[in-house]
Amino acid sequence: MMESVRFVFAWVVMAAMPFTGVAQTPTRALALQDSAWDLLFSDPDAAVPLIEAVLRDSVALPDSVVANSLSHRAIAFLLEGRIEEALPTFQLAVNLAEEAPVRRALIQTNQALALKDAGELDAALRVAGEVLRFWEEQGDALLMAPRMRGLAG
């Protein structure tokens, strides 16, 4: 199932963005992700091309790397006021992060906050509950609770 979702996603991304001719490696993708994250909140216009560079050539990357870039792109959509595009992007990131549970929980935290902002309170609480259960299982629920406070207000 995940392979077909990823295949469809890859074709959509490739159709929207031209291939650069640069083979994407996990090391290069992680470097681009780090640079994008550093810029995302201070200069989103500079961050988005870095995120899209990872996504453009993502077929050969591990799902967790693609999920992280999708999460960054969803956050960029939120910063651009495009919540209707952020929500499905977060969901795709969550789906791809299935084999990286910590990454998945972090993505779901942002997803829950975006759902709350979109007025989808039941969905936000459901996702937040999943995140808190995960951290409880890890023994870290108290560390995660302050991040989830944004759902209350």
Side-chain angles (χ1 to χ4, degrees), residues 63-100:
D63 285 349
S64 62
V65 173
V66 177
N68 198 46
S69 281
L70 284 168
S71 178
H72 291 170
R73 187 61 184 110
I75 292 168
F77 281 140
L78 290 174
L79 294 171
E80 296 165 352
R82 298 164 58 185
I83 199 163
E84 68 284 346
E85 292 170 82
L87 294 177
T89 304
F90 273 128
Q91 188 57 55
L92 184 56
V94 167
N95 294 346
L96 287 175
E98 191 170 324
E99 300 299 320

PDB file of all heavy atoms in Angstrom, residues 63-100:
ATOM      1  N   ASP A  63      11.630   6.359   3.363  1.00  0.00           N
ATOM      2  CA  ASP A  63      10.343   6.988   3.661  1.00  0.00           C
ATOM      3  C   ASP A  63      10.457   8.036   4.766  1.00  0.00           C
ATOM      4  O   ASP A  63       9.812   9.076   4.706  1.00  0.00           O
ATOM      5  CB  ASP A  63       9.306   5.939   4.079  1.00  0.00           C
ATOM      6  CG  ASP A  63       8.796   5.124   2.906  1.00  0.00           C
ATOM      7  OD1 ASP A  63       9.068   5.495   1.752  1.00  0.00           O
ATOM      8  OD2 ASP A  63       8.114   4.119   3.166  1.00  0.00           O
ATOM      9  N   SER A  64      11.277   7.774   5.791  1.00  0.00           N
ATOM     10  CA  SER A  64      11.378   8.718   6.905  1.00  0.00           C
ATOM     11  C   SER A  64      11.962  10.059   6.458  1.00  0.00           C
ATOM     12  O   SER A  64      11.574  11.114   6.973  1.00  0.00           O
ATOM     13  CB  SER A  64      12.209   8.133   8.047  1.00  0.00           C
ATOM     14  OG  SER A  64      13.529   7.870   7.615  1.00  0.00           O
ATOM     15  N   VAL A  65      12.868  10.031   5.500  1.00  0.00           N
ATOM     16  CA  VAL A  65      13.457  11.275   4.979  1.00  0.00           C
ATOM     17  C   VAL A  65      12.404  12.048   4.187  1.00  0.00           C
ATOM     18  O   VAL A  65      12.253  13.263   4.347  1.00  0.00           O
ATOM     19  CB  VAL A  65      14.702  10.969   4.115  1.00  0.00           C
ATOM     20  CG1 VAL A  65      15.224  12.228   3.429  1.00  0.00           C
ATOM     21  CG2 VAL A  65      15.798  10.342   4.975  1.00  0.00           C
ATOM     22  N   VAL A  66      11.657  11.339   3.357  1.00  0.00           N
ATOM     23  CA  VAL A  66      10.594  11.979   2.581  1.00  0.00           C
ATOM     24  C   VAL A  66       9.525  12.536   3.529  1.00  0.00           C
ATOM     25  O   VAL A  66       9.051  13.655   3.347  1.00  0.00           O
ATOM     26  CB  VAL A  66       9.978  10.991   1.567  1.00  0.00           C
ATOM     27  CG1 VAL A  66       8.823  11.633   0.812  1.00  0.00           C
ATOM     28  CG2 VAL A  66      11.043  10.497   0.605  1.00  0.00           C
ATOM     29  N   ALA A  67       9.176  11.767   4.547  1.00  0.00           N
ATOM     30  CA  ALA A  67       8.174  12.218   5.523  1.00  0.00           C
ATOM     31  C   ALA A  67       8.608  13.506   6.195  1.00  0.00           C
ATOM     32  O   ALA A  67       7.799  14.423   6.383  1.00  0.00           O
ATOM     33  CB  ALA A  67       7.928  11.131   6.572  1.00  0.00           C
ATOM     34  N   ASN A  68       9.877  13.589   6.543  1.00  0.00           N
ATOM     35  CA  ASN A  68      10.382  14.800   7.197  1.00  0.00           C
ATOM     36  C   ASN A  68      10.264  16.009   6.280  1.00  0.00           C
ATOM     37  O   ASN A  68       9.835  17.089   6.706  1.00  0.00           O
ATOM     38  CB  ASN A  68      11.829  14.578   7.630  1.00  0.00           C
ATOM     39  CG  ASN A  68      12.267  15.572   8.667  1.00  0.00           C
ATOM     40  OD1 ASN A  68      11.563  15.834   9.632  1.00  0.00           O
ATOM     41  ND2 ASN A  68      13.447  16.115   8.474  1.00  0.00           N
ATOM     42  N   SER A  69      10.612  15.843   5.013  1.00  0.00           N
ATOM     43  CA  SER A  69      10.487  16.966   4.070  1.00  0.00           C
ATOM     44  C   SER A  69       9.027  17.324   3.816  1.00  0.00           C
ATOM     45  O   SER A  69       8.684  18.501   3.673  1.00  0.00           O
ATOM     46  CB  SER A  69      11.201  16.660   2.757  1.00  0.00           C
ATOM     47  OG  SER A  69      12.591  16.858   2.915  1.00  0.00           O
ATOM     48  N   LEU A  70       8.165  16.317   3.767  1.00  0.00           N
ATOM     49  CA  LEU A  70       6.735  16.613   3.622  1.00  0.00           C
ATOM     50  C   LEU A  70       6.213  17.392   4.825  1.00  0.00           C
ATOM     51  O   LEU A  70       5.415  18.319   4.673  1.00  0.00           O
ATOM     52  CB  LEU A  70       5.936  15.322   3.452  1.00  0.00           C
ATOM     53  CG  LEU A  70       6.029  14.670   2.087  1.00  0.00           C
ATOM     54  CD1 LEU A  70       5.445  13.264   2.126  1.00  0.00           C
ATOM     55  CD2 LEU A  70       5.316  15.514   1.038  1.00  0.00           C
ATOM     56  N   SER A  71       6.679  17.023   6.002  1.00  0.00           N
ATOM     57  CA  SER A  71       6.282  17.760   7.204  1.00  0.00           C
ATOM     58  C   SER A  71       6.750  19.213   7.122  1.00  0.00           C
ATOM     59  O   SER A  71       5.998  20.142   7.437  1.00  0.00           O
ATOM     60  CB  SER A  71       6.858  17.081   8.447  1.00  0.00           C
ATOM     61  OG  SER A  71       6.528  17.809   9.609  1.00  0.00           O
ATOM     62  N   HIS A  72       7.987  19.409   6.679  1.00  0.00           N
ATOM     63  CA  HIS A  72       8.497  20.774   6.501  1.00  0.00           C
ATOM     64  C   HIS A  72       7.656  21.536   5.488  1.00  0.00           C
ATOM     65  O   HIS A  72       7.340  22.717   5.682  1.00  0.00           O
ATOM     66  CB  HIS A  72       9.954  20.749   6.047  1.00  0.00           C
ATOM     67  CG  HIS A  72      10.909  20.277   7.085  1.00  0.00           C
ATOM     68  ND1 HIS A  72      12.220  20.003   6.802  1.00  0.00           N
ATOM     69  CD2 HIS A  72      10.769  20.024   8.409  1.00  0.00           C
ATOM     70  CE1 HIS A  72      12.846  19.610   7.891  1.00  0.00           C
ATOM     71  NE2 HIS A  72      11.981  19.610   8.883  1.00  0.00           N
ATOM     72  N   ARG A  73       7.267  20.850   4.409  1.00  0.00           N
ATOM     73  CA  ARG A  73       6.454  21.521   3.380  1.00  0.00           C
ATOM     74  C   ARG A  73       5.087  21.874   3.938  1.00  0.00           C
ATOM     75  O   ARG A  73       4.543  22.934   3.646  1.00  0.00           O
ATOM     76  CB  ARG A  73       6.322  20.634   2.129  1.00  0.00           C
ATOM     77  CG  ARG A  73       5.633  21.356   0.976  1.00  0.00           C
ATOM     78  CD  ARG A  73       6.440  22.578   0.563  1.00  0.00           C
ATOM     79  NE  ARG A  73       5.806  23.361  -0.457  1.00  0.00           N
ATOM     80  CZ  ARG A  73       5.289  24.580  -0.268  1.00  0.00           C
ATOM     81  NH1 ARG A  73       5.309  25.148   0.917  1.00  0.00           N
ATOM     82  NH2 ARG A  73       4.754  25.245  -1.267  1.00  0.00           N
ATOM     83  N   ALA A  74       4.508  20.988   4.747  1.00  0.00           N
ATOM     84  CA  ALA A  74       3.212  21.274   5.368  1.00  0.00           C
ATOM     85  C   ALA A  74       3.310  22.492   6.286  1.00  0.00           C
ATOM     86  O   ALA A  74       2.415  23.343   6.287  1.00  0.00           O
ATOM     87  CB  ALA A  74       2.714  20.057   6.143  1.00  0.00           C
ATOM     88  N   ILE A  75       4.389  22.580   7.035  1.00  0.00           N
ATOM     89  CA  ILE A  75       4.584  23.750   7.896  1.00  0.00           C
ATOM     90  C   ILE A  75       4.705  25.009   7.046  1.00  0.00           C
ATOM     91  O   ILE A  75       4.129  26.054   7.376  1.00  0.00           O
ATOM     92  CB  ILE A  75       5.812  23.562   8.814  1.00  0.00           C
ATOM     93  CG1 ILE A  75       5.518  22.453   9.831  1.00  0.00           C
ATOM     94  CG2 ILE A  75       6.186  24.861   9.510  1.00  0.00           C
ATOM     95  CD1 ILE A  75       6.742  21.974  10.600  1.00  0.00           C
ATOM     96  N   ALA A  76       5.421  24.905   5.934  1.00  0.00           N
ATOM     97  CA  ALA A  76       5.534  26.062   5.032  1.00  0.00           C
ATOM     98  C   ALA A  76       4.159  26.461   4.498  1.00  0.00           C
ATOM     99  O   ALA A  76       3.841  27.648   4.412  1.00  0.00           O
ATOM    100  CB  ALA A  76       6.492  25.756   3.887  1.00  0.00           C
ATOM    101  N   PHE A  77       3.333  25.469   4.135  1.00  0.00           N
ATOM    102  CA  PHE A  77       1.966  25.781   3.706  1.00  0.00           C
ATOM    103  C   PHE A  77       1.226  26.547   4.806  1.00  0.00           C
ATOM    104  O   PHE A  77       0.511  27.518   4.521  1.00  0.00           O
ATOM    105  CB  PHE A  77       1.185  24.500   3.371  1.00  0.00           C
ATOM    106  CG  PHE A  77       1.482  23.903   2.028  1.00  0.00           C
ATOM    107  CD1 PHE A  77       1.589  22.524   1.894  1.00  0.00           C
ATOM    108  CD2 PHE A  77       1.634  24.683   0.888  1.00  0.00           C
ATOM    109  CE1 PHE A  77       1.840  21.948   0.658  1.00  0.00           C
ATOM    110  CE2 PHE A  77       1.892  24.121  -0.354  1.00  0.00           C
ATOM    111  CZ  PHE A  77       1.997  22.739  -0.471  1.00  0.00           C
ATOM    112  N   LEU A  78       1.383  26.119   6.049  1.00  0.00           N
ATOM    113  CA  LEU A  78       0.722  26.822   7.161  1.00  0.00           C
ATOM    114  C   LEU A  78       1.205  28.260   7.249  1.00  0.00           C
ATOM    115  O   LEU A  78       0.400  29.189   7.442  1.00  0.00           O
ATOM    116  CB  LEU A  78       0.974  26.105   8.488  1.00  0.00           C
ATOM    117  CG  LEU A  78       0.297  24.764   8.676  1.00  0.00           C
ATOM    118  CD1 LEU A  78       0.759  24.116   9.987  1.00  0.00           C
ATOM    119  CD2 LEU A  78      -1.219  24.909   8.649  1.00  0.00           C
ATOM    120  N   LEU A  79       2.512  28.457   7.121  1.00  0.00           N
ATOM    121  CA  LEU A  79       3.065  29.809   7.190  1.00  0.00           C
ATOM    122  C   LEU A  79       2.576  30.683   6.040  1.00  0.00           C
ATOM    123  O   LEU A  79       2.495  31.906   6.181  1.00  0.00           O
ATOM    124  CB  LEU A  79       4.602  29.748   7.196  1.00  0.00           C
ATOM    125  CG  LEU A  79       5.233  29.096   8.432  1.00  0.00           C
ATOM    126  CD1 LEU A  79       6.732  28.902   8.219  1.00  0.00           C
ATOM    127  CD2 LEU A  79       4.957  29.933   9.675  1.00  0.00           C
ATOM    128  N   GLU A  80       2.247  30.043   4.919  1.00  0.00           N
ATOM    129  CA  GLU A  80       1.723  30.761   3.749  1.00  0.00           C
ATOM    130  C   GLU A  80       0.211  30.941   3.823  1.00  0.00           C
ATOM    131  O   GLU A  80      -0.400  31.482   2.908  1.00  0.00           O
ATOM    132  CB  GLU A  80       2.078  29.978   2.469  1.00  0.00           C
ATOM    133  CG  GLU A  80       3.564  29.878   2.201  1.00  0.00           C
ATOM    134  CD  GLU A  80       3.918  28.818   1.150  1.00  0.00           C
ATOM    135  OE1 GLU A  80       3.024  28.050   0.729  1.00  0.00           O
ATOM    136  OE2 GLU A  80       5.095  28.765   0.766  1.00  0.00           O
ATOM    137  N   GLY A  81      -0.411  30.451   4.910  1.00  0.00           N
ATOM    138  CA  GLY A  81      -1.865  30.557   5.045  1.00  0.00           C
ATOM    139  C   GLY A  81      -2.628  29.570   4.183  1.00  0.00           C
ATOM    140  O   GLY A  81      -3.795  29.782   3.870  1.00  0.00           O
ATOM    141  N   ARG A  82      -2.004  28.466   3.816  1.00  0.00           N
ATOM    142  CA  ARG A  82      -2.603  27.484   2.913  1.00  0.00           C
ATOM    143  C   ARG A  82      -2.913  26.190   3.668  1.00  0.00           C
ATOM    144  O   ARG A  82      -2.424  25.122   3.344  1.00  0.00           O
ATOM    145  CB  ARG A  82      -1.659  27.234   1.741  1.00  0.00           C
ATOM    146  CG  ARG A  82      -1.427  28.501   0.924  1.00  0.00           C
ATOM    147  CD  ARG A  82      -0.239  28.434   0.003  1.00  0.00           C
ATOM    148  NE  ARG A  82      -0.296  27.336  -0.954  1.00  0.00           N
ATOM    149  CZ  ARG A  82       0.701  27.046  -1.780  1.00  0.00           C
ATOM    150  NH1 ARG A  82       1.817  27.737  -1.768  1.00  0.00           N
ATOM    151  NH2 ARG A  82       0.582  26.047  -2.620  1.00  0.00           N
ATOM    152  N   ILE A  83      -3.751  26.311   4.680  1.00  0.00           N
ATOM    153  CA  ILE A  83      -4.041  25.168   5.544  1.00  0.00           C
ATOM    154  C   ILE A  83      -4.690  24.020   4.783  1.00  0.00           C
ATOM    155  O   ILE A  83      -4.472  22.854   5.101  1.00  0.00           O
ATOM    156  CB  ILE A  83      -4.879  25.601   6.766  1.00  0.00           C
ATOM    157  CG1 ILE A  83      -4.767  24.547   7.871  1.00  0.00           C
ATOM    158  CG2 ILE A  83      -6.319  25.876   6.389  1.00  0.00           C
ATOM    159  CD1 ILE A  83      -5.198  25.031   9.226  1.00  0.00           C
ATOM    160  N   GLU A  84      -5.460  24.341   3.746  1.00  0.00           N
ATOM    161  CA  GLU A  84      -6.119  23.290   2.964  1.00  0.00           C
ATOM    162  C   GLU A  84      -5.103  22.409   2.240  1.00  0.00           C
ATOM    163  O   GLU A  84      -5.412  21.271   1.883  1.00  0.00           O
ATOM    164  CB  GLU A  84      -7.125  23.889   1.978  1.00  0.00           C
ATOM    165  CG  GLU A  84      -6.515  24.695   0.838  1.00  0.00           C
ATOM    166  CD  GLU A  84      -6.017  26.093   1.219  1.00  0.00           C
ATOM    167  OE1 GLU A  84      -6.360  26.593   2.304  1.00  0.00           O
ATOM    168  OE2 GLU A  84      -5.261  26.683   0.416  1.00  0.00           O
ATOM    169  N   GLU A  85      -3.905  22.903   2.008  1.00  0.00           N
ATOM    170  CA  GLU A  85      -2.846  22.094   1.414  1.00  0.00           C
ATOM    171  C   GLU A  85      -1.968  21.456   2.488  1.00  0.00           C
ATOM    172  O   GLU A  85      -1.395  20.386   2.279  1.00  0.00           O
ATOM    173  CB  GLU A  85      -1.990  22.946   0.475  1.00  0.00           C
ATOM    174  CG  GLU A  85      -2.762  23.386  -0.765  1.00  0.00           C
ATOM    175  CD  GLU A  85      -2.002  24.420  -1.560  1.00  0.00           C
ATOM    176  OE1 GLU A  85      -1.128  23.996  -2.344  1.00  0.00           O
ATOM    177  OE2 GLU A  85      -2.280  25.613  -1.413  1.00  0.00           O
ATOM    178  N   ALA A  86      -1.882  22.111   3.642  1.00  0.00           N
ATOM    179  CA  ALA A  86      -1.055  21.591   4.730  1.00  0.00           C
ATOM    180  C   ALA A  86      -1.610  20.286   5.295  1.00  0.00           C
ATOM    181  O   ALA A  86      -0.854  19.346   5.560  1.00  0.00           O
ATOM    182  CB  ALA A  86      -0.935  22.632   5.843  1.00  0.00           C
ATOM    183  N   LEU A  87      -2.929  20.222   5.475  1.00  0.00           N
ATOM    184  CA  LEU A  87      -3.518  19.051   6.133  1.00  0.00           C
ATOM    185  C   LEU A  87      -3.252  17.739   5.389  1.00  0.00           C
ATOM    186  O   LEU A  87      -2.776  16.771   5.996  1.00  0.00           O
ATOM    187  CB  LEU A  87      -5.006  19.265   6.377  1.00  0.00           C
ATOM    188  CG  LEU A  87      -5.340  20.375   7.378  1.00  0.00           C
ATOM    189  CD1 LEU A  87      -6.845  20.558   7.485  1.00  0.00           C
ATOM    190  CD2 LEU A  87      -4.716  20.107   8.736  1.00  0.00           C
ATOM    191  N   PRO A  88      -3.506  17.652   4.072  1.00  0.00           N
ATOM    192  CA  PRO A  88      -3.198  16.377   3.393  1.00  0.00           C
ATOM    193  C   PRO A  88      -1.692  16.109   3.304  1.00  0.00           C
ATOM    194  O   PRO A  88      -1.270  14.954   3.279  1.00  0.00           O
ATOM    195  CB  PRO A  88      -3.828  16.529   2.008  1.00  0.00           C
ATOM    196  CG  PRO A  88      -4.060  17.982   1.822  1.00  0.00           C
ATOM    197  CD  PRO A  88      -4.194  18.583   3.187  1.00  0.00           C
ATOM    198  N   THR A  89      -0.893  17.162   3.301  1.00  0.00           N
ATOM    199  CA  THR A  89       0.556  16.977   3.266  1.00  0.00           C
ATOM    200  C   THR A  89       1.030  16.391   4.585  1.00  0.00           C
ATOM    201  O   THR A  89       1.874  15.480   4.607  1.00  0.00           O
ATOM    202  CB  THR A  89       1.264  18.309   2.945  1.00  0.00           C
ATOM    203  OG1 THR A  89       0.740  18.827   1.716  1.00  0.00           O
ATOM    204  CG2 THR A  89       2.764  18.119   2.802  1.00  0.00           C
ATOM    205  N   PHE A  90       0.488  16.890   5.701  1.00  0.00           N
ATOM    206  CA  PHE A  90       0.807  16.281   6.997  1.00  0.00           C
ATOM    207  C   PHE A  90       0.392  14.814   7.016  1.00  0.00           C
ATOM    208  O   PHE A  90       1.128  13.958   7.497  1.00  0.00           O
ATOM    209  CB  PHE A  90       0.100  17.014   8.146  1.00  0.00           C
ATOM    210  CG  PHE A  90       0.855  18.187   8.693  1.00  0.00           C
ATOM    211  CD1 PHE A  90       0.230  19.416   8.807  1.00  0.00           C
ATOM    212  CD2 PHE A  90       2.166  18.069   9.127  1.00  0.00           C
ATOM    213  CE1 PHE A  90       0.904  20.511   9.324  1.00  0.00           C
ATOM    214  CE2 PHE A  90       2.854  19.156   9.653  1.00  0.00           C
ATOM    215  CZ  PHE A  90       2.220  20.379   9.750  1.00  0.00           C
ATOM    216  N   GLN A  91      -0.799  14.502   6.492  1.00  0.00           N
ATOM    217  CA  GLN A  91      -1.274  13.116   6.522  1.00  0.00           C
ATOM    218  C   GLN A  91      -0.372  12.201   5.706  1.00  0.00           C
ATOM    219  O   GLN A  91      -0.063  11.086   6.133  1.00  0.00           O
ATOM    220  CB  GLN A  91      -2.721  13.011   6.034  1.00  0.00           C
ATOM    221  CG  GLN A  91      -3.313  11.632   6.228  1.00  0.00           C
ATOM    222  CD  GLN A  91      -3.278  11.176   7.675  1.00  0.00           C
ATOM    223  OE1 GLN A  91      -3.782  11.858   8.555  1.00  0.00           O
ATOM    224  NE2 GLN A  91      -2.677  10.015   7.938  1.00  0.00           N
ATOM    225  N   LEU A  92       0.066  12.667   4.555  1.00  0.00           N
ATOM    226  CA  LEU A  92       0.983  11.860   3.752  1.00  0.00           C
ATOM    227  C   LEU A  92       2.295  11.651   4.507  1.00  0.00           C
ATOM    228  O   LEU A  92       2.852  10.542   4.513  1.00  0.00           O
ATOM    229  CB  LEU A  92       1.228  12.515   2.399  1.00  0.00           C
ATOM    230  CG  LEU A  92       2.092  11.738   1.420  1.00  0.00           C
ATOM    231  CD1 LEU A  92       1.547  10.338   1.162  1.00  0.00           C
ATOM    232  CD2 LEU A  92       2.207  12.509   0.111  1.00  0.00           C
ATOM    233  N   ALA A  93       2.780  12.694   5.172  1.00  0.00           N
ATOM    234  CA  ALA A  93       4.009  12.569   5.964  1.00  0.00           C
ATOM    235  C   ALA A  93       3.833  11.550   7.084  1.00  0.00           C
ATOM    236  O   ALA A  93       4.718  10.719   7.319  1.00  0.00           O
ATOM    237  CB  ALA A  93       4.400  13.931   6.530  1.00  0.00           C
ATOM    238  N   VAL A  94       2.698  11.600   7.767  1.00  0.00           N
ATOM    239  CA  VAL A  94       2.419  10.636   8.837  1.00  0.00           C
ATOM    240  C   VAL A  94       2.410   9.217   8.272  1.00  0.00           C
ATOM    241  O   VAL A  94       3.009   8.300   8.850  1.00  0.00           O
ATOM    242  CB  VAL A  94       1.073  10.961   9.534  1.00  0.00           C
ATOM    243  CG1 VAL A  94       0.613   9.816  10.421  1.00  0.00           C
ATOM    244  CG2 VAL A  94       1.188  12.249  10.344  1.00  0.00           C
ATOM    245  N   ASN A  95       1.763   9.027   7.152  1.00  0.00           N
ATOM    246  CA  ASN A  95       1.695   7.699   6.534  1.00  0.00           C
ATOM    247  C   ASN A  95       3.081   7.172   6.176  1.00  0.00           C
ATOM    248  O   ASN A  95       3.369   5.990   6.375  1.00  0.00           O
ATOM    249  CB  ASN A  95       0.817   7.728   5.288  1.00  0.00           C
ATOM    250  CG  ASN A  95      -0.635   8.004   5.601  1.00  0.00           C
ATOM    251  OD1 ASN A  95      -1.075   7.932   6.747  1.00  0.00           O
ATOM    252  ND2 ASN A  95      -1.391   8.354   4.571  1.00  0.00           N
ATOM    253  N   LEU A  96       3.927   8.031   5.646  1.00  0.00           N
ATOM    254  CA  LEU A  96       5.267   7.599   5.242  1.00  0.00           C
ATOM    255  C   LEU A  96       6.198   7.374   6.430  1.00  0.00           C
ATOM    256  O   LEU A  96       7.191   6.662   6.312  1.00  0.00           O
ATOM    257  CB  LEU A  96       5.895   8.606   4.281  1.00  0.00           C
ATOM    258  CG  LEU A  96       5.328   8.612   2.874  1.00  0.00           C
ATOM    259  CD1 LEU A  96       5.932   9.733   2.051  1.00  0.00           C
ATOM    260  CD2 LEU A  96       5.569   7.271   2.193  1.00  0.00           C
ATOM    261  N   ALA A  97       5.892   7.973   7.563  1.00  0.00           N
ATOM    262  CA  ALA A  97       6.752   7.853   8.747  1.00  0.00           C
ATOM    263  C   ALA A  97       6.401   6.641   9.606  1.00  0.00           C
ATOM    264  O   ALA A  97       6.873   6.527  10.730  1.00  0.00           O
ATOM    265  CB  ALA A  97       6.670   9.139   9.569  1.00  0.00           C
ATOM    266  N   GLU A  98       5.621   5.735   9.074  1.00  0.00           N
ATOM    267  CA  GLU A  98       5.170   4.575   9.850  1.00  0.00           C
ATOM    268  C   GLU A  98       6.334   3.775  10.437  1.00  0.00           C
ATOM    269  O   GLU A  98       6.238   3.267  11.552  1.00  0.00           O
ATOM    270  CB  GLU A  98       4.310   3.678   8.962  1.00  0.00           C
ATOM    271  CG  GLU A  98       3.589   2.609   9.728  1.00  0.00           C
ATOM    272  CD  GLU A  98       2.562   1.904   8.869  1.00  0.00           C
ATOM    273  OE1 GLU A  98       1.935   2.560   8.023  1.00  0.00           O
ATOM    274  OE2 GLU A  98       2.413   0.693   9.054  1.00  0.00           O
ATOM    275  N   GLU A  99       7.426   3.663   9.724  1.00  0.00           N
ATOM    276  CA  GLU A  99       8.581   2.883  10.199  1.00  0.00           C
ATOM    277  C   GLU A  99       9.523   3.709  11.074  1.00  0.00           C
ATOM    278  O   GLU A  99      10.534   3.187  11.532  1.00  0.00           O
ATOM    279  CB  GLU A  99       9.347   2.307   9.006  1.00  0.00           C
ATOM    280  CG  GLU A  99       8.515   1.384   8.130  1.00  0.00           C
ATOM    281  CD  GLU A  99       8.004   0.156   8.886  1.00  0.00           C
ATOM    282  OE1 GLU A  99       8.770  -0.405   9.693  1.00  0.00           O
ATOM    283  OE2 GLU A  99       6.840  -0.223   8.677  1.00  0.00           O
ATOM    284  N   ALA A 100       9.211   4.976  11.301  1.00  0.00           N
ATOM    285  CA  ALA A 100      10.027   5.854  12.152  1.00  0.00           C
ATOM    286  C   ALA A 100       9.100   6.475  13.205  1.00  0.00           C
ATOM    287  O   ALA A 100       8.643   7.604  13.048  1.00  0.00           O
ATOM    288  CB  ALA A 100      10.701   6.933  11.313  1.00  0.00           C
TER     289      ALA A 100
END
